[in-house]
């Protein structure tokens, strides 16, 4: 038994490392972020000898260095190194990156409005965003873009970056695309006027049972609260009386959005969060009279990728015993940044305060060991077995706090859930890791949909699709497909992962027909955290 567990860990470890590093890097961008744009203080004279020293060094290099220097790069690099000495979340954003960095929080970008996949050196339209420019002119899923503005747009040089650079652009500008469409004898030409494309914060929203709604939030941006209200009201009209709010993998965003969301669940006057810093007095955020779901049952899902604004919501819900928190310990990001734009169009995000949950908890994990150690902390959790065993998490008695009902909770490193759910490694095998890491599952899904559009269009609901498409047939087709791509697994490896793999395959196919709602309805059939939430809210449902 021990040998099998060690083998699983060896197979899973590279994937977990890559995943956790990616989460760590992403969290550097998504922060509890009240916006601050007054840059006048940057032009004030300074009497600091240390500031003068830095300026003198840069000027000396500029005048006397043996080779020509890129002054802008030198200054930007100096700022980045200075901020690294402060904390892991203060950041410098170059001018050329600022718009792209802000897009997920602002909730839109400008382009033609498609989701695409590069298949055999050709851009294939996976879906068109309803109401977007491409949908308006008649582009369809399955179309292959072979020319842009009259020039060939296929071959090895076509990449995700080149597609986005070519098809994105200023709203109102035009781009001409020529597409190949099955059953058409010639290329179809479309002239598309670029426009604003929404970036949705809600990945999925549907009725999980006859009375249980499910909403999954991916970020806390400028449009998140309005999106939530729309989804909530639609579910309420369908009979929702209790809610599963999924914040797993949500790296945060605007603090004000987290406060507004928490306000929906708490009675007037209840503390949601407060902030304070060396130069910032304590500021309290309390619930108002606006809450529309102050008494219905709530289960909130978190994991090690839930950070910042996600932890504000989870902390408030836990401290007031308003929701049951299920999952694994959250990231532990309790620092608040303000953003100021610099004269050259770049921006500075500086940590100005810490936030605290209603009970007084700071959930910021330690960062005294430096930037690199901080970013690797999630790997340390994995190595210590925390993702598999709640008992591996140790909190100091000095960090004890009490919820409204007197339950003990802890600060100093994320939100610990009320019900711990370990990561599931039971289905992992070398074959599963190889097909997952190669992107073959998604590639198969694209091909499957492209070849079976007529059949798939006959399914009106996700449930019809799930019943109408055999798990075993899809799995068998994929095994053949993998072999044709020179990936073969032993019988034992395939047997170990077949149940999970069949669900993965159907979920990715369902995503292209029923969007993310379809994906999650299939994918969650084996998700232990989601299933625990369902059973907790509906103990009689099997």
């Amino acid at each position: 038994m021990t040998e099998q567990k060690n083998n699983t860990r060896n197979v899973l470890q590279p994937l977990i490392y890559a995943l956790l590093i990616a989460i760590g890097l992403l969290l550097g961008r998504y922060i509890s972020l009240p916006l601050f744009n007054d840059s006048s203080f940057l032009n004030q004279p300074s009497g600091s000898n240390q500031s003068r020293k830095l300026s003198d060094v840069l000027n000396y290099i500029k005048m006397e260095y043996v080779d020509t220097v890129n002054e802008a790069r030198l200054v930007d690099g100096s700022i980045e190194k200075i901020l690294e000495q402060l904390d892991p979340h203060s950041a410098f954003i170059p001018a050329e990156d600022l718009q792209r960095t802000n897009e997920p929080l602002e909730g839109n970008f400008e382009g033609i409005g498609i989701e695409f996949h590069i298949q055999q050196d050709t851009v294939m339209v996976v879906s068109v965003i309803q109401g977007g420019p491409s949908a308006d002119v008649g582009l369809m899923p399955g179309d292959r873009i072979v020319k842009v503005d009259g020039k060939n747009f296929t071959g090895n040089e076509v990449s995700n970056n080149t597609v986005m650079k070519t098809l994105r652009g200023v709203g109102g500008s035009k781009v001409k695309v020529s597409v190949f469409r099955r059953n058409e004898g010639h290329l179809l030409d479309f002239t598309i006027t670029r426009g604003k494309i929404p970036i949705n914060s809600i990945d999925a929203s549907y009725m999980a049972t006859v009375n249980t709604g499910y909403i999954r939030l991916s970020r806390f941006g400028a449009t998140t609260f309005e999106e939530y209200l729309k989804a909530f009201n639609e579910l309420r009209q369908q009979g929702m009386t209790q809610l599963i709010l999924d914040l797993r993998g949500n790296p945060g965003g605007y603090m004000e959005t987290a406060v507004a969301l928490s306000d929906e669940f708490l009675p007037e006057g209840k503390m949601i969060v407060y902030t304070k810093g060396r130069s910032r007095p304590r500021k309290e955020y309390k619930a108002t009279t606006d809450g529309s779901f102050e008494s219905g049952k709530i289960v909130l899902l978190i994991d090690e990728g839930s950070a910042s604004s996600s932890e504000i919501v989870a902390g408030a819900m836990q401290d007031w015993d308003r929701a049951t928190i299920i999952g694994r310990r959250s990231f532990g990001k309790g620092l608040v940044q303000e953003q100021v734009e610099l004269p050259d169009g770049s921006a500075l995000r500086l940590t100005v305060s810490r936030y605290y949950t209603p009970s007084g908890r700071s959930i910021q994990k330690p960062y005294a060991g430096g930037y690199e150690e901080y970013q690797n902390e999630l790997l340390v959790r994995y190595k210590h077995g925390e993702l598999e065993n709640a008992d591996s998490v140790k909190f100091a008695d000095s960090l004890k706090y009490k919820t409204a009902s007197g339950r003990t909770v802890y600060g100093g490193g994320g939100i610990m859930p009320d019900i711990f759910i370990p990561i599931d490694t039971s289905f992992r095998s070398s074959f599963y890791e190889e097909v997952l890491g190669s992107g073959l599952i998604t590639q198969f899904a694209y091909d499957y949909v492209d070849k079976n559009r007529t059949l798939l269009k006959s399914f009106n609901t996700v449930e019809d699709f799930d019943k109408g498409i055999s798990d075993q047939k899809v799995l068998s087709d994929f095994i053949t497909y993998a072999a044709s791509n020179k990936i073969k697994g032993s019988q034992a490896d395939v047997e170990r992962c077949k149940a999970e793999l069949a669900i993965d395959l159907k979920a990715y196919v369902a995503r292209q027909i029923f969007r993310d709602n379809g994906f999650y309805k299939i994918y969650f059939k084996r998700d232990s955290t989601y299933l625990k939430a369902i059973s907790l809210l509906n103990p009689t449902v099997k």
Side-chain angles (χ1 to χ4, degrees):
M1 193 71 177
T2 302
E3 182 179 350
Q4 182 181 13
K5 184 175 182 180
N6 289 337
N7 288 338
T8 299
R9 185 181 292 271
N10 290 336
V11 169
L12 182 57
Q13 188 163 338
L15 179 66
I16 291 291
Y17 276 24
L19 174 63
L20 296 183
I21 289 172
I23 289 172
L25 292 174
L26 184 63
L27 287 167
R29 294 292 192 187
Y30 286 81
I31 47 187
S32 296
L33 186 69
L35 293 182
F36 174 70
N37 291 307
D38 180 7
S39 58
S40 60
F41 72 91
L42 294 171
N43 300 315
Q44 298 300 317
S46 171
S48 167
N49 289 332
Q50 298 303 317
S51 299
R52 180 64 181 270
K53 181 196 295 185
L54 180 60
S55 176
D56 288 345
V57 169
L58 291 172
N59 285 332
Y60 184 53
I61 291 171
K62 180 182 176 182
M63 292 186 296
E64 304 293 345
Y65 186 65
V66 64
D67 295 320
T68 301
V69 297
N70 184 324
E71 186 178 1
R73 182 178 298 175
L74 199 63
V75 171
D76 289 357
S78 300
I79 295 173
E80 290 174 353
K81 288 299 182 182
I82 289 172
L83 294 177
E84 283 184 12
Q85 304 304 309
L86 302 179
D87 68 85
H89 295 288
S90 291
F92 172 75
I93 307 170
E96 61 270 21
D97 295 337
L98 184 58
Q99 180 178 351
R100 177 176 55 83
T101 302
N102 284 338
E103 280 174 355
L105 294 177
E106 293 175 352
N108 63 71
F109 65 94
E110 292 180 335
I112 68 170
I114 64 168
E115 293 181 7
F116 67 89
H117 171 69
I118 298 176
Q119 185 178 42
Q120 298 175 346
D121 301 328
T122 301
V123 178
M124 185 179 78
V125 178
V126 175
S127 64
V128 294
I129 298 174
Q130 294 305 308
S134 292
D136 290 344
V137 300
L139 227 60
M140 297 176 61
D143 286 348
R144 288 164 170 79
I145 299 176
V146 296
K147 289 184 179 181
V148 176
D149 289 331
K151 298 178 181 179
N152 287 333
F153 201 62
T154 60
N156 293 331
E157 295 183 0
V158 176
S159 66
N160 288 333
N161 285 336
T162 59
V163 173
M164 288 190 287
K165 286 180 180 179
T166 304
L167 298 182
R168 282 192 179 190
V170 179
S173 63
K174 297 181 185 296
V175 61
K176 181 179 178 181
V177 300
S178 300
V179 307
F180 169 80
R181 181 176 294 171
R182 285 182 182 271
N183 302 320
E184 294 288 348
H186 57 88
L187 296 182
L188 303 177
D189 294 328
F190 299 92
T191 299
I192 306 171
T193 301
R194 297 181 179 96
K196 284 195 177 295
I197 310 301
I199 300 176
N200 294 323
S201 301
I202 293 184
D203 287 343
S205 172
Y206 59 84
M207 292 299 293
T209 70
V210 292
N211 65 341
T212 306
Y214 170 83
I215 298 177
R216 181 181 179 91
L217 290 181
S218 61
R219 64 181 64 83
F220 285 84
T223 63
T224 300
F225 186 59
E226 289 72 20
E227 290 179 50
Y228 166 80
L229 289 179
K230 181 176 182 293
F232 174 84
N233 289 328
E234 289 175 352
L235 295 179
R236 204 68 183 271
Q237 291 174 6
Q238 297 175 52
M240 180 185 70
T241 59
Q242 47 194 20
L243 173 66
I244 299 172
L245 182 62
D246 193 344
L247 300 181
R248 290 177 294 176
N250 184 321
Y254 292 142
M255 184 175 70
E256 287 83 355
T257 305
V259 170
L261 182 63
S262 301
D263 192 2
E264 287 295 292
F265 310 127
L266 293 172
E268 181 183 7
K270 296 292 187 183
M271 179 80 73
I272 294 172
V273 66
Y274 65 91
T275 63
K276 61 181 179 179
R278 179 180 62 86
S279 299
R280 304 297 170 96
R282 173 168 168 150
K283 184 175 181 180
E284 298 181 347
Y285 299 82
K286 295 183 178 181
T288 68
T289 59
D290 295 338
S292 59
F293 198 63
E294 296 179 356
S295 58
K297 290 183 178 179
I298 303 173
V299 170
L300 198 152
L301 312 183
I302 62 172
D303 64 10
E304 55 280 350
S306 307
S308 183
S309 295
S310 294
E311 295 171 302
I312 289 176
V313 177
M317 297 298 101
Q318 189 175 60
D319 281 1
W320 290 114
D321 299 297
R322 178 65 187 89
T324 302
I325 315 296
I326 300 180
R328 294 185 292 277
R329 181 164 65 105
S330 63
F331 181 83
K333 195 275 181 186
L335 302 176
V336 183
Q337 286 72 47
E338 283 184 341
Q339 178 170 302
V340 57
E341 292 191 12
L342 305 180
D344 68 346
S346 59
L348 185 70
R349 287 180 175 174
L350 185 69
T351 298
V352 296
S353 58
R354 288 180 170 83
Y355 72 73
Y356 299 83
T357 71
S359 66
R361 288 186 285 171
S362 168
I363 54 82
Q364 174 63 45
K365 63 185 180 182
Y367 54 86
Y371 185 82
E372 185 174 350
E373 181 178 309
Y374 183 84
Q375 294 294 352
N376 290 333
E377 190 268 343
L378 293 179
L379 297 179
V380 174
R381 293 191 199 184
Y382 170 71
K383 288 180 179 179
H384 287 173
E386 179 181 330
L387 303 188
E388 298 173 344
N389 188 345
D391 292 339
S392 66
V393 186
K394 305 297 181 184
F395 292 103
D397 286 344
S398 60
L399 298 175
K400 278 185 179 181
Y401 296 84
K402 296 293 184 180
T403 70
S405 67
R407 293 187 303 121
T408 298
V409 290
Y410 292 89
I415 300 293
M416 191 67 187
D418 302 312
I419 299 175
F420 175 83
I421 305 293
I423 190 169
D424 184 7
T425 62
S426 62
F427 58 88
R428 299 283 179 171
S429 69
S430 57
F431 175 69
Y432 185 87
E433 301 299 337
E434 188 172 4
V435 297
L436 191 67
S438 67
L440 206 61
I441 293 176
T442 53
Q443 180 69 54
F444 170 82
Y446 292 132
D447 285 346
Y448 185 90
V449 171
D450 199 35
K451 294 175 182 177
N452 297 279
R453 290 190 184 278
T454 302
L455 168 64
L456 296 173
K457 284 181 180 178
S458 67
F459 300 118
N460 295 320
T461 66
V462 180
E463 291 73 21
D464 290 342
F465 162 81
D466 193 22
K467 293 177 183 177
I469 299 297
S470 164
D471 288 21
Q472 293 306 312
K473 180 64 168 62
V474 171
L475 180 63
S476 176
D477 289 349
F478 178 76
I479 299 300
T480 303
Y481 184 84
S484 70
N485 284 273
K486 299 182 173 54
I487 298 179
K488 294 183 179 180
S490 67
Q491 183 175 351
D493 270 357
V494 174
E495 185 67 24
R496 181 174 182 177
C497 70
K498 68 178 185 179
E500 182 70 26
L501 184 54
I503 287 177
D504 288 351
L505 294 166
K506 288 182 69 174
Y508 279 97
V509 171
R511 171 174 271 160
Q512 295 183 59
I513 314 166
F514 302 102
R515 311 293 293 166
D516 282 340
N517 275 1
F519 174 85
Y520 286 109
K521 282 185 177 182
I522 301 293
Y523 190 73
F524 284 162
K525 288 167 64 176
R526 283 176 60 86
D527 185 295
S528 52
T529 306
Y530 175 85
L531 295 176
K532 180 64 178 179
I534 294 291
S535 66
L536 186 69
L537 290 173
N538 305 275
T540 61
V541 175
K542 301 297 183 182

